Amino acid sequence: TETIGAVARLAGVSIRTLHHYDEIGLLTPGGRSDSGYRLYRDHDLERLQQILLLRELGMGLDEVARVLDDPAYDRLEALRQQRTRLDRSRKRMTRLIAAVDAAISAAEEGRTMTPEESLEVFGDFDPSQYEDEVKERWGNTDAYRASARRTKSYTKQDWQKIGADSNEINQAFIALMDHGIPAYSPEAKAVAERHRGHISKWFYQCSPEIHTGLGQMYVADPRFTANIDKAKPGLAQYMSDAIAALWA
């Protein structure tokens, strides 16, 4: 058995967090000392590990409780999925570190980034291929003008941050998909709202109408669908459905 302080240190969480998990019935320690202090047994520690794993996947506490209490929950499969996500994140971080190193070198040498360097943050997705079409379809809109004005001043580090934030949102959607959470669920709609906030923060004020249109475009335009589905097949449809549910 372990005391709450020892468990907090081992798991890298606060004692207050463990108290909260106990209060809401998510993790109730199986023992008590003679003085009434919480004592955590091996099966409690295993459950805590699973809680932290699911939290890392972007789940809220209510959803974590439902998943863990579901007899169909497969801990081994959840670990494998987390391993896959961590590997994807590791590869992405390796690319970003290399890109930051290149930006540092450019700054130290007093030069600006080349077009090739600026595209590193997009991986193998080249947004320039859409430029003429975007101008034709939305060039006269306030949203396009706002986006063009704001992005003109963005640095390579800004684009890297945008890419990292976008990837986090995609991974949150993927986590819900992997656990069979429907696109119309409150959890999926919450991630869809994060998606809208991301666009408003970095590009233009994304109204419900614009957001709905983007969701439709993700599945109507095969190029967008193919690019989004690189992260996970079916992701574009899931995102589109979640956005539609958000504004239904």
Side-chain angles (χ1 to χ4, degrees), residues 35-206:
S35 302
Y37 292 110
R38 296 172 174 85
L39 293 176
Y40 291 80
R41 295 172 176 162
D42 288 346
H43 67 273
D44 299 322
L45 299 179
E46 290 179 4
R47 184 174 175 89
L48 176 59
Q49 180 191 47
Q50 295 172 58
I51 291 169
L52 297 178
L53 168 65
L54 295 175
R55 291 288 286 157
E56 185 68 22
L57 296 179
M59 288 191 180
L61 293 179
D62 289 344
E63 183 59 26
V64 169
R66 286 196 295 271
V67 168
L68 291 182
D69 293 336
D70 184 348
Y73 174 66
D74 187 335
R75 179 171 177 266
L76 178 58
E77 180 59 26
L79 288 170
R80 286 172 175 159
Q81 291 175 4
Q82 176 67 345
R83 176 66 174 80
T84 299
R85 287 192 186 86
L86 289 172
D87 188 55
R88 283 200 296 260
S89 296
R90 177 183 59 80
K91 291 176 180 177
R92 177 173 177 78
M93 290 306 300
T94 298
R95 292 197 303 269
L96 289 178
I97 289 171
V100 170
D101 287 343
I104 291 173
S105 296
E108 289 176 342
E109 296 168 10
R111 61 183 177 85
T112 58
M113 291 191 309
T114 66
E116 291 77 14
E117 288 174 328
S118 67
L119 289 176
E120 287 179 16
V121 295
F122 296 103
D124 57 1
F125 173 59
D126 181 2
S128 65
Q129 64 179 301
Y130 299 99
E131 186 172 355
D132 291 340
E133 181 179 343
V134 168
K135 286 182 178 179
E136 181 179 349
R137 294 177 65 176
W138 296 294
N140 292 323
T141 65
D142 291 338
Y144 176 84
R145 286 189 287 269
S147 178
R149 182 174 62 253
R150 294 171 68 177
T151 58
K152 185 177 181 180
S153 64
Y154 284 171
T155 64
K156 183 175 182 177
Q157 286 77 14
D158 289 328
W159 286 114
Q160 289 168 344
K161 173 61 175 171
I162 291 169
D165 289 351
S166 179
N167 183 61
E168 287 184 4
I169 293 171
N170 286 348
Q171 291 304 313
F173 275 125
I174 290 171
L176 295 176
M177 293 175 67
D178 287 345
H179 286 87
I181 309 301
Y184 56 79
S185 68
E187 294 85 357
K189 288 190 285 188
V191 179
E193 178 58 35
R194 283 177 58 192
H195 176 265
R196 185 175 79 99
H198 171 74
I199 295 171
S200 294
K201 176 181 178 180
W202 290 104
F203 299 101
Y204 50 81
Q205 188 59 40
C206 187

